[in-house]
Amino acid sequence: MLKSLYVSSFVIIDKMKIDFQEGMSVITGETGAGKSIVIDAIGQLCGNRSSASFVKKGCSETVIEGVFDVTVTPQLEAICQQLHIEADDEFIITKNIQSNGKSQVKINYQSSTHNALKLLMPYLIDIHSQFETQKLFAQKNHILLLDEYAKDELQDLFLDYQTQFQQYKDIQQHLNQTIQEDMSDEQLDFLKSQLKEIEEVSYTDDEIDRFEEELKILQNYEKMNACIQNFEQLMNNGQGVLPKLKEATYEIQSLSSYQEFEEPVESIQNLYYNLLDITENILDTYRSFHFDEYRFNELQDILFKVNRLKRKYGFTMQNIQEYHDELIQKIQTIENREEYILQLQNKLQQQEKKTKDIAMQMHHIRKKYAKKFEADIHQELQDLYLDKAIFKVQIKESQMLQPLGCTNVQFMVSINQGQDLSLLNETASGGEISRIMLAIKTTILEYNSIDTIIFDEIDTGVSGKVATKIGEKMKKTALKKQVICITHLPQVAALADYHYCIEKKSTDDETITSIHLLDSNQKIIEIAKMLSGETMTQEAIANAKKLLDA
């Protein structure tokens, strides 16, 4: 559930903190007071696109932070693993929006991305707005709603289908490219010349590193020789470091008989012999080198060819080897074109059958759940005073594999008795659409693990007993979920466990929105205002009390 929401410097909100509770909460206020701005702020936590216009005028940044108590499900845990975050029973989501439009996201104080929010937040919260209701008109969304209803049985199968479908599309694309690709004799000769050029310089990256080091030594051989000569002179001649150090050790050797000098004398002797060994190692290493002009030219030639290959085929020998393998495959494809195409066609048919089998399993599950979905929606519509309405899920098998399977889904509705079934947007009014969408939403949410549902003016276009019934539906949902509702209907507001009121105050310089939780007396006054408008009447107050006591 959404435990708390903090918003600062967002549009017309200066600073606001709301502590939410379980059950049903409503947010009311005059038109333009900023009710939907609160939902917009929550939408930012869900990964909605940011804009510099969200930052309150005169401020440098907007801060939005939501604290969520959650039940960790296997699905949520899997998403958290994917995002490399810990699946905890509390999530703190923070978003900062700068005045230049840039934004920063943090999940549990760990830097994250908008894409991460889009993946994570559907497991924590569902926001249903009027825009979401309009999406019901689009037939492409009908299958998504049915799949959400059948999620428990369909989800694993759908993930498997996505993998197999992608493999099918990859093989299909490769086959089409192979058929369209230039496979002339001239192209074959060109590829073979590239292959020959690469195979003439068949070295690994480690070998090239050793060649470069060897060439570096040869290029600097004269300088190294002079350096070694000077070094040997300084170390070994009569006045050099080693003879002088040896002489010094002899001078103090007699002191080793005294306990106080034993350890330092031994250290100087060890130093002398260690330095002698190091000097000999340096000289022996140098003596192993010799300048070979033939080898010098050979290395230059090898590295010249290697660098040319890198410019043409890749930055490393590994890249070049990968291109070499691609060339062999392309050459074999051209030389055995018909056989290779036949192999791809067979592979495509096998993958298509494998993918289609999974798609058909999904299709049968959808058909099974469609009947149950229809029955549940029919019951919901009766409760919402659409008892004559018929809701039908039309399912047809598609012969072509599609991203969601081989099923076409369409929601059809008949509102009045004797009326033919038709697409929803062709017959239903605004109020009827709101009720149908609420029926669909509450039915799907019954089987969903999301803890928090926000309804943003889903009750638009209804009034009277229908408004009361919509409120009762939300109240019923709130027995299992946290429900937050933006409403303008007093019948809905009266059913809430918690009532928040948004107020807007304007001065000469700015407009500021604030929100506060109403007590029982304040609820009566607020609902009375919703009933009577600007002019408060005793009758409105009496009606408000009736609604609250009902």
Side-chain angles (χ1 to χ4, degrees), residues 18 32 121 156 159 169 219 246 248 307 336 448 476:
I18 316 171
M121 296 307 288
D156 290 342
L159 292 174
K169 296 300 290 183
Q219 286 173 330
K246 184 177 181 180
N307 289 328
N336 306 281
N448 200 297
K476 182 182 177 183

Side-chain angles (χ1 to χ4, degrees), residues 135-148:
K135 285 169 65 175
L136 183 62
F137 289 157
Q139 182 184 338
K140 66 179 182 180
N141 295 320
H142 294 177
I143 190 171
L144 300 176
L145 291 167
L146 179 61
D147 284 0
E148 187 69 22

Side-chain angles (χ1 to χ4, degrees), residues 278-296:
I278 293 170
T279 301
E280 286 302 318
N281 284 336
I282 291 174
L283 294 174
D284 287 344
T285 302
Y286 167 70
R287 292 184 191 110
S288 68
F289 297 145
H290 67 281
F291 184 79
D292 185 335
E293 186 173 354
Y294 174 79
R295 181 60 174 167
F296 178 74

Side-chain angles (χ1 to χ4, degrees), residues 238-505:
Q239 299 299 316
V241 173
L242 289 173
K244 288 294 184 184
L245 183 57
K246 184 177 181 180
E247 185 179 339
T249 59
Y250 287 155
E251 287 293 333
I252 64 167
Q253 191 170 3
S254 61
L255 296 177
S256 61
S257 60
Y258 300 102
Q259 186 176 355
E260 290 83 352
F261 291 101
E262 183 179 0
E263 186 175 338
V265 169
E266 185 180 351
S267 295
I268 288 181
Q269 288 175 334
N270 290 337
L271 178 62
Y272 167 74
Y273 288 111
N274 286 337
L275 188 57
L276 182 63
D277 287 342
I278 293 170
T279 301
E280 286 302 318
N281 284 336
I282 291 174
L283 294 174
D284 287 344
T285 302
Y286 167 70
R287 292 184 191 110
S288 68
F289 297 145
H290 67 281
F291 184 79
D292 185 335
E293 186 173 354
Y294 174 79
R295 181 60 174 167
F296 178 74
N297 293 331
E298 181 185 29
L299 288 171
Q300 283 190 316
D301 183 56
I302 290 172
L303 293 174
F304 173 78
K305 290 178 179 178
V306 165
N307 289 328
R308 184 177 63 188
L309 289 182
K310 287 182 177 180
R311 286 194 297 269
K312 293 175 70 173
Y313 306 123
F315 294 108
T316 67
M317 296 307 294
Q318 178 64 33
N319 296 145
I320 295 170
Q321 182 59 43
E322 290 169 0
Y323 185 70
H324 169 273
D325 296 341
E326 288 179 20
L327 283 174
I328 292 176
Q329 185 178 0
K330 287 182 179 179
I331 290 169
Q332 290 175 347
T333 300
I334 294 175
E335 291 178 335
N336 306 281
R337 186 171 189 268
E338 292 183 4
E339 181 182 350
Y340 185 71
I341 289 175
L342 184 61
Q343 288 176 353
L344 282 178
Q345 289 173 336
N346 291 335
K347 189 176 181 181
L348 182 64
Q349 287 177 357
Q350 292 171 6
Q351 186 62 34
E352 182 178 20
K353 182 180 183 307
K354 187 176 181 180
T355 309
K356 187 67 179 284
D357 287 345
I358 300 173
M360 286 306 298
Q361 292 179 57
M362 293 165 57
H363 181 69
H364 293 312
I365 290 172
R366 285 165 174 155
K367 286 179 70 175
K368 179 180 75 173
Y369 275 89
K371 295 296 182 185
K372 189 171 183 296
F373 192 51
E374 286 175 358
D376 287 349
I377 296 298
H378 179 68
Q379 183 59 54
E380 293 290 331
L381 292 177
Q382 283 190 318
D383 293 344
L384 291 167
Y385 300 109
L386 286 174
D387 50 301
K388 304 298 182 184
I390 298 173
F391 179 83
K392 183 75 175 174
V393 181
Q394 285 191 351
I395 288 189
K396 294 181 180 179
E397 180 187 340
S398 169
Q399 296 305 310
M400 291 183 60
L401 289 172
Q402 302 168 4
L404 300 179
C406 63
T407 308
N408 292 325
V409 176
Q410 193 173 46
F411 292 167
M412 306 293 288
V413 66
S414 168
I415 301 297
N416 303 304
Q417 189 170 6
Q419 188 178 30
D420 291 336
L421 288 166
S422 60
L423 292 171
L424 181 63
N425 59 328
E426 293 179 356
T427 56
S429 66
E432 289 165 343
I433 290 170
S434 294
R435 280 181 278 173
I436 293 170
M437 192 65 230
L438 180 61
I440 292 172
K441 201 73 179 180
T442 52
T443 299
I444 291 173
L445 288 170
E446 182 73 22
Y447 304 93
N448 200 297
S449 60
I450 296 172
D451 291 329
T452 300
I453 300 98
I454 296 179
F455 292 107
D456 184 10
E457 297 193 5
I458 194 174
D459 47 22
T460 299
V462 300
S463 58
K465 64 179 184 179
V466 175
T468 301
K469 187 56 72 171
I470 285 177
E472 289 173 355
K473 282 290 176 189
M474 294 184 192
K475 182 79 170 179
K476 182 182 177 183
T477 302
L479 296 175
K480 297 180 179 179
K481 316 274 186 180
Q482 180 192 40
V483 172
I484 300 171
C485 173
I486 305 291
T487 186
H488 62 280
L489 296 178
Q491 296 94 328
V492 174
L495 291 165
D497 301 306
Y498 304 94
H499 191 152
Y500 299 84
C501 182
I502 284 190
E503 294 180 333
K504 182 173 68 174
K505 294 181 180 179

